[in-house]
Amino acid sequence: PQQQSRPRVSELEAAQRPQQRPRGGVALRPDGGGTLGKPVRLFSNFSPVRVREGGVEVHQYSLAYLKGEGEELELRTTQRRRDVLLEFKDNIDVAFGVREGAAWVWDGDKIFISTRRIDSLSMERPGLKLTWQYARSLRLEGDHREVYQVYDLVLRHEQSMMFKAVGKAIFNPDRQTWRDRFQNLNKTLWLGHRQSVVRGEGGTPMLLVDKAVTCVLRPVSLIEFLCVELGLRQHRKLSTQELAAELRKPKVLADVRKQLNKRKVTHRHPQYAEWSQRWEEHKRKGKSG
């Protein structure tokens, strides 16, 4: 058999020296170090963020969505605001000099940042008007909270424009491997990630990336949604009239009343407005009788 190599002198000396007592409950490695043992690989979800020397000057704007002269348009979701911005993207690129090497980012709501300064700007189409108003300028250098916020916005911008942003997390609906496992439910599980720029040791900006999970409703019709929730298996073959007949059955109606107890039902489908009106009348009759 092959003879094992003799340990080095430095290791023998280190082994013969008395062990140092830990200070503050933290064990210290022996003097001289060691070369034996199995090396391991360590992974971290932190990555350093580097900016070119000298920093970059950016300009912040306040973005407003209007439907008339001074009347603000209510866009509740980031998805709707993103669709509006994408509609004007070509004109925005021209106005802020993207073809000349400038760039712009957007936070999903009212904060708009660009490397080109414009005092004010407006774009409109019938029923919609976008306005940009200059707010301030900022140089991306140093250890400041405002600088870290811009770093975070810049690194999130492209992904939030391409994929689905839910809160601070980002998901790609087209790459969800868990969707088939919940095909018999009205809910689907999305796997994505969330990221943020934090201050590292010594003031170095670090990009933190964590996994994110959310549960969303499947994009199905209202009739199919009700049938799945009520356990009607042959929901794909039911018409509107057949579903209404099923809902009138005592057992199903009792289940509906139990699930909707002390809940407020809202919808955005005009074709089901008559159903909502009838349900409100039914609740009022139930309270009075």
Side-chain angles (χ1 to χ4, degrees):
Q2 185 177 359
Q3 186 178 3
Q4 296 182 356
S5 58
R6 300 179 62 182
R8 299 179 181 179
V9 176
S10 58
E11 296 180 18
L12 292 175
E13 294 177 352
Q16 293 174 358
R17 294 176 183 176
Q19 296 291 333
Q20 298 183 9
R21 294 182 178 180
R23 295 192 298 265
V26 179
L28 303 177
R29 63 182 301 175
D31 294 339
T35 59
L36 301 180
K38 182 178 180 180
V40 296
R41 299 180 62 184
L42 299 179
F43 297 90
S44 173
N45 56 347
F46 288 87
S47 301
V49 177
R50 297 181 176 87
V51 184
R52 68 186 184 188
E53 188 175 356
V56 180
E57 186 177 17
V58 297
H59 312 282
Q60 181 176 329
Y61 303 85
S62 177
L63 177 60
Y65 312 85
L66 307 175
K67 59 180 178 180
E69 292 297 332
E71 187 177 1
E72 187 173 356
L73 179 63
E74 186 178 4
L75 300 174
R76 297 184 178 181
T77 63
T78 305
Q79 180 70 31
R80 296 187 62 187
R81 293 190 291 267
R82 186 185 71 171
D83 294 341
V84 169
L85 208 67
L86 289 176
E87 184 178 348
F88 293 90
K89 185 178 183 304
D90 293 338
N91 295 332
I92 295 174
D93 290 344
V94 174
F96 286 95
V98 173
R99 297 179 181 177
E100 289 79 20
W104 60 270
V105 294
W106 171 65
D107 75 330
D109 193 5
K110 297 182 178 181
I111 298 179
F112 189 96
I113 295 178
S114 173
T115 55
R116 170 175 288 190
R117 173 168 178 174
I118 300 177
D119 291 335
S120 62
L121 178 67
S122 63
M123 300 180 185
E124 59 182 309
R125 64 162 173 77
L128 175 62
K129 182 178 181 180
L130 300 182
T131 62
W132 287 260
Q133 190 64 38
Y134 171 78
R136 63 170 181 169
S137 298
L138 178 67
R139 177 165 291 277
L140 302 182
E141 61 180 358
D143 185 14
H144 304 288
R145 181 180 179 182
E146 293 82 1
V147 174
Y148 285 75
Q149 292 176 347
V150 176
Y151 290 158
D152 193 12
L153 179 57
V154 170
L155 295 176
R156 281 175 49 89
H157 168 74
E158 185 174 358
Q159 299 182 70
S160 61
M161 293 293 287
M162 294 175 58
F163 305 123
K164 182 75 172 180
V166 181
K168 295 185 178 181
I170 300 175
F171 301 90
N172 183 358
D174 298 330
R175 298 183 60 186
Q176 299 303 328
T177 57
W178 287 63
R179 177 175 298 179
D180 296 337
R181 303 187 185 184
F182 296 86
Q183 59 183 352
N184 294 328
L185 301 178
N186 279 326
K187 303 176 182 65
T188 178
L189 192 65
W190 282 4
L191 305 179
H193 75 279
R194 59 171 51 92
Q195 63 184 49
S196 61
V197 177
V198 298
R199 184 183 185 276
E201 185 178 356
T204 303
M206 305 290 289
L207 176 63
L208 168 63
V209 181
D210 281 332
K211 291 184 178 180
V213 179
T214 188
C215 190
V216 299
L217 297 178
R218 294 176 56 228
V220 298
S221 64
L222 179 59
I223 294 178
E224 183 177 348
F225 179 86
L226 288 174
C227 292
V228 173
E229 289 294 322
L230 298 175
L232 305 178
R233 298 182 179 180
Q234 298 180 353
H235 56 273
R236 297 184 183 276
K237 299 180 181 180
L238 291 180
S239 62
T240 305
Q241 292 76 14
E242 292 172 339
L243 175 61
E246 288 285 343
L247 293 177
R248 293 190 185 97
K249 294 181 178 180
K251 183 177 180 181
V252 177
L253 186 58
D255 192 10
V256 173
R257 288 175 176 173
K258 182 179 179 180
Q259 295 189 30
L260 296 181
N261 185 28
K262 297 182 180 181
R263 295 187 181 182
K264 183 178 180 181
V265 179
T266 60
H267 65 87
R268 300 178 183 176
H269 304 278
Q271 61 268 32
Y272 301 119
E274 183 180 356
W275 286 18
S276 297
Q277 184 178 359
R278 291 181 179 179
W279 175 252
E280 293 297 331
E281 294 177 356
H282 175 75
K283 289 196 298 184
R284 286 195 296 269
K285 291 180 181 179
K287 290 181 180 179
S288 61

